[in-house]
Amino acid sequence: MIISLQRVTKVYRMGEVEVHALRGIDLEVEEGEFVAVVGASGSGKSTLMNILGCLDVPTTGRYLLQGIDVADLDDDQLAVVRNRLIGFVFQSFNLIPRATALHNVEMPLIYGGQRRERRDRALAALEVVGLADRAQHLPSELSGGQQQRVAIARALINDPAIVLADEPTGNLDSESSAEIMQVFTELNREGRTVILITHEADIAAYARRVVRMRDGLIVGDERLAVTPGSEERWR
Ligand SMILES: Nc1ncnc2c1ncn2[C@@H]1O[C@H](COP(=O)(O)OP(=O)(O)O)[C@@H](O)[C@H]1O
Ligand SMILES: [Mg+2]
């Protein structure tokens, strides 16, 4: 079990007002699963993802990551978890505009390793997403889909076991979205645990399991059958 959430709640306090973003989440994810989290805007998807990624902590309840209660980790240990175990992909790419694709991908390595080694690893990550030939391009010189592939390469640079993506295709046309989903499918086929948020059914259909949220609760958890014609991407 790579991820186990037990009765997790999240309450945001804004002055006098309390927002109950998560109201008791139980969720277990095995290593190597490919999970889509779906639900209406405001249902708690991003809050859940931020907790899974150790960017935020539950108000109550427990989060076990690889069997370890993240509440027992200090800030340095949490930073290592975020950097090494988890790769993040966001809707808005979050690339540095003045840095080349290569430099953007290298960024998480900036404090570690030799210059040459960083470069080689960044190039290898760009290769995985099919963009080795765009290494010297600035984000503005790339299409939206290519920018998101750079962001995925950056997320992969430390070879994370878990890839978390919050609406990664939300800013993309359907063709670019399909390319991005093929990249996630491939990462999952290599054994990585992939959890992505989407509100589009055709994006969720790439996953093997769909978790549905409503008003801070999980209201559906469905394993998808392998439909004819789709076995190919799951082999
Ligand atoms: N930092 C925050 N401070 C206060 N309320 C928040 C914050 N983040 C999210 N919320 C609220 O928590 C609820 C769930 O939000 P969110 O997790 O972003 O949902 P989703 O990603 O499904 O759209 C919403 O009511 C939202 O307004
Ligand atoms: Mg959200």
Side-chain angles (χ1 to χ4, degrees), residues 16-229:
E16 298 288 280
V17 181
E18 283 189 348
V19 178
H20 292 256
L22 299 178
R23 299 192 295 138
I25 299 285
D26 290 295
L27 179 68
E28 299 200 322
V29 178
E30 301 279 357
E31 183 146 28
E33 281 201 86
F34 188 172
V35 183
V37 178
V38 304
S41 177
S43 59
K45 305 184 296 297
S46 294
T47 301
L48 175 66
M49 197 61 102
N50 290 342
I51 288 173
L52 290 177
C54 300
L55 298 172
D56 205 346
V57 292
T59 303
T60 63
R62 297 215 305 165
Y63 175 20
L64 305 183
L65 180 57
Q66 289 186 330
I68 295 168
D69 190 334
V70 300
D72 293 336
L73 302 179
D74 65 28
D75 286 351
D76 288 345
Q77 290 169 320
L78 278 176
V80 171
V81 166
R82 279 194 296 263
N83 199 24
R84 300 280 160 77
L85 181 60
I86 299 167
F88 288 98
V89 180
F90 301 96
Q91 177 172 356
S92 53
F93 320 146
N94 292 358
L95 299 178
I96 295 169
R98 288 175 198 281
T100 61
L102 186 72
H103 278 127
N104 268 287
V105 175
E106 278 182 339
M107 215 56 85
L109 296 177
I110 221 76
Y111 303 109
Q114 301 290 314
R115 189 159 179 263
R116 173 70 190 277
E117 190 209 325
R118 293 201 306 259
R119 189 192 143 84
D120 289 349
R121 283 175 60 186
L123 275 174
L126 281 170
E127 190 94 46
V128 169
V129 300
L131 281 182
D133 58 337
R134 297 290 196 281
Q136 299 305 329
H137 287 237
L138 295 172
S140 60
E141 297 165 344
L142 299 170
S143 71
Q146 289 172 331
Q147 290 181 54
Q148 190 59 299
R149 279 147 67 192
V150 172
I152 294 172
R154 181 183 55 191
L156 294 178
I157 192 73
N158 281 314
D159 195 24
I162 305 172
V163 177
L164 300 178
D166 192 345
E167 309 230 15
T169 63
N171 288 342
L172 301 177
D173 60 49
S174 56
E175 196 179 321
S176 302
S177 296
E179 283 172 20
I180 293 299
M181 292 313 299
Q182 264 139 35
V183 172
F184 283 120
T185 301
E186 184 58 35
L187 296 178
N188 175 247
R189 210 160 64 175
E190 289 167 356
R192 275 179 237 272
T193 307
V194 177
I195 305 179
L196 71 84
I197 291 177
T198 183
H199 55 250
E200 294 165 86
D202 54 336
I203 297 299
Y206 283 85
R208 307 287 312 260
R209 175 178 173 193
V210 177
V211 169
R212 190 169 302 278
M213 294 190 67
R214 187 187 303 143
D215 296 336
L217 291 170
I218 291 176
V219 295
D221 188 350
E222 186 189 356
R223 314 239 166 211
L224 298 186
V226 179
T227 51

